[in-house]
Amino acid sequence: MAGDLDIVIVNWNTGPWLRSCLRSVTRCRHSGFTLASVVVVDNASTDGSADRLDDLPLPLLVLRNTTNRGFAAACNQGAEAGGARFVLFLNPDTELYEDALERALGFLRRPDATSVGICGGQMIDAEGTAQASCSRFPRPSMFLAKASGAARLLPRLAPHQWMSVTEVDGSRPVDQVIGAFFLIRRRLFEELGGFDERFFLYYEEVDLSYRARGAGFLSYHLADVRVRHIGQVSSRQVLGLRLFHSLRSRTEYARLHWPRRQALALTGIILALELPGRMARAAASGRREDLLGVLAASRRYVAYLRVPDSDSVRTAVR
């Protein structure tokens, strides 16, 4: 399919948010580029959120999976349905400002941006306040600082993965942009083999950004590309699974990109510090569902460590 831009949105039970997201795309200005397709990949939703969308004035294609394939696999599936020069992976709990697509594509098409392979925008919350929108590549010290409480007690001294709004001074290269608005050159995406489907949920964009950097392409934060972002609309529905997949994907990333000693250290941090700390906080809060969620995530994570490729631990949501 010819054109400049394909948009891929992976949906799982996002209620009215998907339609709001698509409506924001219709309101975007499209001068200077052609919107070739908007592909919604529905991962077996049960709330009807992907139904009755054909009244929207968009080149829309809805792909329906009978099971939840995971976020990375669904993104790849959606990208394969198009053929435009650029692919935007967009979360269904976002709304684009009218100039977002023009500005982002205009930047990537500049002659001096040929070394940029991926770019993202500035996330804005429901109150209109800027949110953290990019991060550093993770290191063991970051997880140790967070799990031990040092990141909270000594915020200025402890290493942080997420970059605060005050740290990011305007548009600039960064290690990784948030996956809620993740614009990439198709040629680069295909050369890298797309998202690694070992990441069922979370860290798929971190891994892809890391591999893009290794291939000589930068990720770039665009401060003037604004995106309203709610966050965790799907995953908050199943807190235990969300935590498990966060732990699992962190571990997968470490095994892929860190020395073996550091990857083992991360597992130790999770088992010895993070999970006991989460259990203690959940018990102290008196919220039974939180404690049950942490316990369920712990059991799944231990099962994953014993049998990393087991299908029994690959059930999740996005």
Side-chain angles (χ1 to χ4, degrees):
M1 185 182 294
D4 296 306
L5 178 66
D6 294 318
I7 298 177
V8 176
I9 303 172
V10 176
N11 182 66
W12 186 83
N13 291 336
T14 58
W17 293 109
L18 173 61
R19 189 174 186 87
S20 295
C21 175
L22 292 170
R23 281 177 174 165
S24 77
V25 175
T26 68
R27 294 192 293 267
C28 281
R29 297 197 296 266
H30 294 169
S31 62
F33 72 94
T34 302
L35 178 60
S37 71
V38 179
V39 183
V40 172
V41 184
D42 187 70
N43 261 340
S45 294
T46 57
D47 68 345
S49 51
D51 298 339
R52 297 181 297 278
L53 301 175
D54 52 2
D55 61 319
L56 296 168
L58 290 169
L60 185 65
L61 173 65
V62 179
L63 304 178
R64 299 179 184 274
N65 292 327
T66 56
T67 60
N68 191 337
R69 297 187 59 197
F71 186 73
C75 282
N76 291 342
Q77 180 185 359
E80 289 171 3
R85 292 176 56 201
F86 303 99
V87 186
L88 171 62
F89 296 97
L90 186 65
N91 277 15
D93 57 356
T94 60
E95 293 182 1
L96 302 179
Y97 282 64
E98 291 183 1
D99 59 353
L101 297 180
E102 278 186 354
R103 289 183 179 275
L105 284 171
F107 171 78
L108 276 182
R109 295 169 74 173
R110 281 168 34 179
D112 60 347
T114 55
S115 63
V116 177
I118 300 165
C119 69
Q122 175 61 58
M123 300 298 114
I124 307 293
D125 68 16
E127 284 72 44
T129 303
Q131 296 177 305
S133 304
C134 41
S135 67
R136 303 173 181 87
F137 290 133
R139 303 191 307 272
S141 58
M142 297 173 179
F143 298 115
L144 178 60
K146 188 171 182 180
S148 66
R152 178 175 52 84
L153 297 174
L154 302 167
R156 293 187 178 182
L157 299 178
H160 294 270
Q161 183 178 355
W162 283 99
M163 302 177 71
S164 69
V165 174
T166 55
E167 287 181 273
V168 185
D169 184 17
S171 299
R172 51 166 283 192
V174 294
D175 284 350
Q176 177 233 324
V177 299
I178 190 171
F181 182 101
F182 193 90
L183 179 62
I184 185 169
R185 299 180 189 274
R186 177 177 290 277
R187 183 176 178 181
L188 174 62
F189 185 75
E190 292 177 347
E191 287 177 353
L192 294 174
F195 290 111
D196 189 330
E197 296 183 11
R198 281 174 287 193
F199 296 95
F200 193 99
L201 180 69
Y202 302 128
Y203 272 76
E204 67 287 326
E205 78 273 34
V206 187
D207 168 76
L208 188 64
S209 300
Y210 187 85
R211 290 187 287 126
R213 178 68 63 87
F217 286 89
L218 298 173
S219 293
Y220 208 92
H221 169 69
L222 295 173
D224 59 351
V225 173
R226 297 170 300 163
V227 182
R228 187 171 291 108
H229 183 220
I230 304 303
Q232 299 179 349
V233 166
S234 291
S235 59
R236 71 175 57 162
Q237 300 174 48
V238 278
L239 298 179
L241 277 174
R242 185 182 80 187
L243 174 58
F244 162 66
H245 279 290
S246 174
L247 301 175
R248 180 185 180 278
S249 291
R250 264 186 261 165
T251 306
E252 287 287 320
Y253 180 90
R255 287 173 172 176
L256 284 170
H257 301 301
W258 293 355
R260 186 171 184 271
R261 182 180 297 178
Q262 291 185 357
L264 289 173
L266 174 65
T267 301
I269 290 168
I270 291 172
L271 293 175
L273 291 176
E274 181 170 356
L275 286 172
R278 286 180 179 273
M279 288 181 193
R281 290 191 295 273
S285 72
R287 292 192 292 269
R288 183 172 179 270
E289 64 276 13
D290 289 358
L291 180 59
L292 291 176
V294 176
L295 289 171
S298 301
R299 288 194 295 269
R300 285 179 177 270
Y301 184 66
V302 170
Y304 155 72
L305 292 176
R306 289 174 176 166
V307 189
D309 295 325
S310 173
D311 288 338
S312 65
V313 298
R314 290 181 177 268
T315 304
V317 298
R318 178 77 172 202

